[in-house]
């Protein structure tokens, strides 16, 4: 789906993601709780072998594969006090069924959405519309089977960039 997009769309979305990060930075930093939303394409195991547990806010890592990037980010979350969820393209978990304010439990939550270039800025707009302060981190490369590659392959992100956006200075 996204492979046929023009180069300018990628560049505009990179700039858009940075503008949104700057605009919503203080609201995100002020949020009492933090969560990182990772795309399922980051997991090492195929969907049918991944043992992640479903929760109201997305799937949480069950630590089945030590080399999995989702596992590694989850360990960072344990260390620095943020939750990690795998969330497909849909942000519906953050809205109420009636289309009103955010669903219960997300009112004091700031999120970092990790995604490919073409979905990050639109995701930032959507979370803002839902009243959820957000920041975005772009994947280093894309490989999901939904948009990019027939079979798909695990994607990755820059951990230092994630920690910077989270406002964490590593020890």
């Amino acid at each position: 789906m996204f492979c046929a997009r023009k180069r300018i769309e990628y560049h505009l979305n990179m700039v858009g993601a940075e503008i949104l990060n700057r605009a919503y930075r203080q609201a995100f930093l002020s949020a009492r709780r933090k969560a990182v939303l990772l795309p399922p394409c980051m997991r090492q195991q195929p969907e049918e072998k991944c043992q992640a547990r479903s929760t109201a806010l997305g799937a949480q890592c069950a630590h089945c594969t030590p080399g999995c990037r989702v596992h590694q980010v989850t360990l960072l979350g344990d260390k620095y006090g943020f939750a990690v969820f795998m969330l497909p393209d849909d942000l519906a978990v953050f809205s109420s069924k009636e289309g009103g304010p955010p669903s219960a439990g997300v009112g004091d939550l700031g999120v970092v959405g990790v995604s490919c270039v073409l979905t990050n800025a639109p995701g930032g707009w959507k979370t803002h519309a839902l009243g959820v302060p957000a920041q975005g981190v772009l994947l280093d490369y894309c490989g999901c089977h939904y948009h990019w590659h027939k079979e798909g392959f695990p994607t990755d992100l820059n951990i230092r960039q994630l920690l910077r956006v989270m406002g964490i200075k590593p020890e």
Side-chain angles (χ1 to χ4, degrees):
M1 176 191 326
F2 289 143
C3 295
R5 298 292 179 96
K6 296 184 184 216
R7 176 178 262 180
I8 189 72
E9 291 181 70
Y10 291 89
H11 293 151
L12 286 173
N13 275 285
M14 285 184 224
V15 171
E18 181 61 24
I19 290 170
L20 290 175
N21 278 357
R22 290 179 185 195
Y24 304 140
R25 182 91 180 134
Q26 289 309 311
F28 170 78
L29 291 174
S30 297
R32 191 171 61 83
R33 298 180 304 131
K34 306 283 191 308
V36 173
L37 308 178
L38 299 176
C41 61
M42 284 187 66
R43 65 180 154 217
Q44 188 70 38
Q45 296 291 339
E47 185 174 358
E48 59 276 359
K49 290 186 179 181
C50 177
Q51 297 176 21
R53 299 174 302 275
S54 292
T55 74
L57 293 179
Q60 285 194 296
C61 180
H63 308 287
C64 64
T65 308
C68 177
R69 195 53 133 179
V70 174
H71 168 73
Q72 295 164 356
V73 174
T74 301
L75 292 177
L76 280 174
D78 293 344
K79 179 177 181 176
Y80 292 111
F82 59 85
V84 177
F85 300 96
M86 277 189 294
L87 187 68
D89 295 339
D90 189 2
L91 292 170
V93 297
F94 291 104
S95 62
S96 70
K97 301 290 186 229
E98 296 81 36
S103 58
V106 299
D108 62 347
L109 181 67
V111 300
V112 173
V114 177
S115 67
C116 63
V117 171
L118 293 175
T119 61
N120 203 274
W125 283 114
K126 288 177 185 177
T127 55
H128 177 71
L130 293 169
V132 178
Q135 296 287 278
V137 172
L138 302 176
L139 289 169
D140 285 351
Y141 51 87
C142 302
C144 80
H145 70 274
Y146 298 113
H147 305 124
W148 295 100
H149 190 267
K150 185 178 178 183
E151 291 87 32
F153 53 87
T155 58
D156 203 358
L157 80 158
N158 183 310
I159 293 292
R160 284 184 294 187
Q161 174 68 1
L162 174 64
L163 293 175
R164 186 191 72 72
V165 167
M166 292 289 297
I168 297 169
K169 292 182 177 39
E171 301 150 3

